[in-house]
Amino acid sequence: MEYDVTIGLEVHCEMKTNTKMFSPALNSYNTIPNFNIGEIDLAFPGTLPQVNFEAVKKSIMMALALNCKVPNYMYFDRKNYYYPDLPKGYQVTQAHDPVGTNGYLDLFVGDTVKRVYIHDIHLEEDTASLDHYSTYSLLDYNRCGVPLLETVTEPCLHSVDEALAFLDALRKVFIYCDVSEARTDRGQMRCDVNVSLAPKGSKTLGTRVEMKNINSFVNVRNAIECEIARQKEALENGEVIEQETRRYDDTECKTFRMRSKADAVDYKYFIDPNIPPFKINESLISEVKARIPALQFERINKYMNEYEISKYDATVLVKDREMAEYFDNLIANEIDAKTACNWVTTVIAGYLNKNDLEIKDLYLTSDMLAYVIKSVNKGDISGKQAKEVVEKSLTEKKSPKDIIKSMGMKQISDDATIRGIIVSILDAHQDLINEYHNGRSNVFDFFIGQVMKQTRGQANPSMTSSILKEEIDKR
Ligand code: ADP
Ligand code: MG
């Protein structure tokens, strides 16, 4: 039997802020356990939470970037349960009126556009991390109290590729907005995956199974694929899928039952009495909105439609915000879009890849590159020289202006000078001219090479080639 697959994601992302969600303890990645901890996160008696306003603003920014409705008041609720990674006995979260609801994110899945609906996005605090050993467990409270944003999609994803395209696009929104580094290798982005199967064409969704805390995109892919296969087999055998939570084990590439939804705890949510709700006013909304940069999807469309750049190149340009801004700045410098795209996607992206660097590590600024391209346009240096200048500037960290000056680079575009050089070379090689006329066409390239050698590569290439043709044909 054929089935329709439905996937819904709950994505947790640790935010980048100076301090924790409700305490002045530092929020910074640290491999030394229990280094960034404070009395408030550890729930010492008598302590009270202080709301981190930076985190609040960033959560509103993400809500707006995901086209969500933002409420008039910011509320925090308590989610009550006991676990050693949560010393207070409750997690502060947003249950009844989260910072964003009813949003969407448009993205590309291959070449097609997909709108992924966002049920809600809410702000909460992360828990400590636990490492279990055979007879004991270790607790690290560094993560306890780190501001966390949870984005919940509607069950509107219908393939592994759509789920992964969404995760990648969401990750880029976090990074573009500077809300999170969203590094999966540091556990900054983790995901609960819900999967259900229904007979093809069915109007109702099947029973979902939830897989908790998957920490890498590869594991999301594997977990979904193996859960689809497991459910398919169960349905084929006439079994009924139970709503349950399963654990994905990446060493065995299998999911294991953890608990049934029937065993779900009642968290007894209520508004945290220690954090009075506060107004999110219009001026705060507009201040935050103004700081949202043009996002990936918007930029790809602009580059394709306005600049006629291919989807492939546009995708390379928006890989990160700095790269896109580097390109935008070339355009602002009145460099032709295709030329700018060519430089960034080949020379610059190539150099970054080869040396495992990022745009911000480059010595050659976008303004400097614009200067080089303009020098070519003005005929001051050749395209070949420009490449040389750029390479040198990148590796030796010297300004293109100085390089051009110190290497005495200029392009010779004067007919008489080039002709003079060509005539003297031809005069010295009568034998080769004969061979050329007898059909050895590579002699032509030899002469071009001689001109370039004598002029140290400064002769205008197209003029050299046409004058050489004229002169050699005369003989
Ligand atoms: P809970 O709070 O118990 O996890 P929610 O109703 O908030 O339950 O749903 C959580 C996630 O499950 C959401 O991402 C949603 O899209 C997804 N989901 C809900 N129903 C289905 C379904 N039938 N198939 C797949 N995913 C689903
Ligand atoms: Mg859930």
Side-chain angles (χ1 to χ4, degrees):
M1 193 156 154
E2 293 278 302
Y3 297 96
D4 288 330
V5 171
T6 299
I7 301 161
L9 300 172
E10 298 161 85
V11 189
H12 291 94
C13 208
E14 282 180 2
M15 294 166 82
K16 187 170 138 186
T17 52
N18 292 323
T19 55
K20 290 193 178 175
M21 189 58 231
F22 299 110
S23 87
L26 283 185
N27 172 22
S28 68
Y29 181 77
N30 200 317
T31 49
I32 307 168
N34 297 308
F35 198 79
N36 298 328
I37 55 176
E39 300 85 343
I40 295 174
D41 308 304
L42 295 183
F44 280 18
T47 55
L48 284 171
Q50 285 174 307
V51 175
N52 180 340
F53 197 49
E54 185 193 4
V56 169
K57 279 193 193 174
K58 285 188 165 174
S59 71
I60 295 174
M61 185 185 248
M62 271 308 287
L64 294 172
L66 296 177
N67 305 291
C68 287
K69 182 178 175 303
V70 175
N72 293 326
Y73 282 87
M74 194 81 181
Y75 291 99
F76 289 97
D77 299 280
R78 286 190 186 179
K79 177 179 180 177
N80 298 281
Y81 66 98
Y82 176 74
Y83 207 65
D85 63 3
L86 191 69
K88 287 202 289 271
Y90 59 84
Q91 181 191 29
V92 180
T93 180
Q94 295 188 299
H96 78 286
D97 208 357
V99 67
T101 46
N102 279 324
Y104 63 86
L105 180 63
D106 288 331
L107 50 106
F108 285 102
V109 184
D111 281 332
T112 46
V113 173
K114 163 101 187 166
R115 175 162 291 190
V116 177
Y117 293 95
I118 307 294
H119 179 276
D120 75 83
I121 176 162
H122 55 267
L123 179 56
E124 56 191 25
E125 54 182 342
D126 208 346
T127 57
S129 39
L130 268 164
D131 278 326
H132 300 290
Y133 297 88
S134 54
T135 54
Y136 61 98
S137 297
L138 293 179
L139 268 160
D140 176 4
Y141 285 99
N142 281 343
R143 211 179 68 180
C144 190
V146 164
L148 197 66
L149 270 177
E150 176 170 350
T151 310
V152 183
T153 73
E154 295 290 352
C156 65
L157 298 155
H158 296 290
S159 68
V160 177
D161 287 343
E162 286 187 3
L164 278 136
F166 170 74
L167 284 177
D168 186 55
L170 180 68
R171 183 166 177 266
K172 291 291 166 52
V173 178
F174 274 108
I175 297 172
Y176 262 69
C177 290
D178 200 27
V179 168
S180 172
E181 289 175 0
R183 285 180 59 164
T184 47
D185 61 332
R186 291 185 171 178
Q188 291 168 345
M189 196 173 174
R190 313 183 293 269
C191 177
D192 299 346
V193 181
N194 297 270
V195 177
S196 70
L197 257 54
K200 200 159 193 65
S202 157
K203 290 239 168 359
T204 51
L205 297 178
T207 306
R208 76 183 154 109
V209 165
E210 179 184 44
M211 288 168 287
K212 281 224 171 282
N213 247 322
I214 303 183
N215 54 10
S216 79
F217 287 13
V218 175
N219 283 344
V220 169
R221 175 176 289 280
N222 294 340
I224 295 175
E225 278 171 353
C226 98
E227 186 55 22
I228 291 174
R230 189 193 67 85
Q231 289 187 26
K232 216 178 239 174
E233 198 187 320
L235 291 169
E236 302 282 294
N237 292 336
E239 293 169 30
V240 175
I241 302 289
E242 192 200 335
Q243 193 176 337
E244 61 179 352
T245 301
R246 297 180 73 88
R247 177 176 60 84
Y248 173 71
D249 188 312
D250 59 354
T251 50
E252 298 198 43
C253 289
K254 271 169 89 170
T255 63
F256 294 93
R257 180 190 167 94
M258 285 168 75
R259 57 178 180 266
S260 155
K261 267 284 168 185
D263 309 333
V265 217
D266 177 358
Y267 294 116
K268 299 198 163 39
Y269 289 99
F270 59 87
I271 294 180
D272 191 315
N274 286 337
I275 312 171
F278 55 89
K279 184 137 180 69
I280 303 173
N281 56 30
E282 274 308 313
S283 68
L284 178 59
I285 299 261
S286 35
E287 178 204 321
V288 170
K289 209 178 226 161
R291 284 180 18 223
I292 302 177
L295 300 173
Q296 232 188 14
F297 182 77
E298 183 185 335
R299 278 200 153 108
I300 293 180
N301 282 314
K302 178 175 171 180
Y303 294 170
M304 282 166 58
N305 300 335
E306 275 182 40
Y307 305 150
E308 293 175 359
I309 287 172
S310 72
K311 162 114 190 309
Y312 180 85
D313 283 340
T315 309
V316 176
L317 291 174
V318 302
K319 202 174 116 291
D320 55 56
R321 180 175 162 185
E322 288 74 22
M323 177 94 90
E325 284 171 354
Y326 197 93
F327 170 75
D328 285 348
N329 188 54
L330 290 177
I331 305 284
N333 269 291
E334 291 173 349
I335 304 295
D336 155 71
K338 290 241 169 82
T339 311
C341 169
N342 209 13
W343 274 98
V344 178
T345 56
T346 59
V347 180
I348 300 297
Y351 182 81
L352 295 176
N353 275 342
K354 201 170 112 204
N355 298 286
D356 199 17
L357 296 173
E358 290 173 35
I359 284 276
K360 63 171 167 37
D361 308 320
L362 286 189
Y363 174 79
L364 184 83
T365 62
S366 184
D367 282 343
M368 291 178 183
L369 179 57
Y371 173 82
V372 178
I373 301 172
K374 280 184 180 163
S375 303
V376 179
N377 293 347
K378 280 191 287 182
D380 292 348
I381 59 173
S382 69
K384 192 160 165 274
Q385 289 173 325
K387 286 233 165 65
E388 224 181 299
V389 172
V390 166
E391 296 270 313
K392 225 176 155 57
S393 172
L394 287 168
T395 50
E396 294 176 15
K397 304 192 189 332
K398 284 191 194 132
S399 91
K401 217 179 218 163
D402 292 345
I403 294 171
I404 293 173
K405 209 189 276 162
S406 71
M407 292 179 67
M409 265 187 196
K410 50 184 189 307
Q411 180 160 261
I412 305 171
S413 298
D414 164 48
D415 188 296
T417 313
I418 296 177
R419 200 175 292 272
I421 294 166
I422 289 176
V423 167
S424 73
I425 292 171
L426 291 179
D427 285 348
H429 291 95
Q430 190 53 52
D431 46 337
L432 286 178
I433 298 173
N434 295 340
E435 286 192 29
Y436 172 78
H437 289 305
N438 287 333
R440 252 192 78 192
S441 55
N442 58 355
V443 168
F444 193 85
D445 298 328
F446 167 80
F447 285 131
I448 297 270
Q450 290 300 304
V451 179
M452 289 304 168
K453 200 167 159 196
Q454 281 202 21
T455 59
R456 299 206 325 273
Q458 292 176 359
N460 180 317
S462 71
M463 286 179 73
T464 305
S465 157
S466 63
I467 297 172
L468 175 64
K469 184 101 183 50
E470 273 173 48
E471 290 299 326
I472 202 167
D473 285 349
K474 275 193 217 155
R475 300 189 184 218

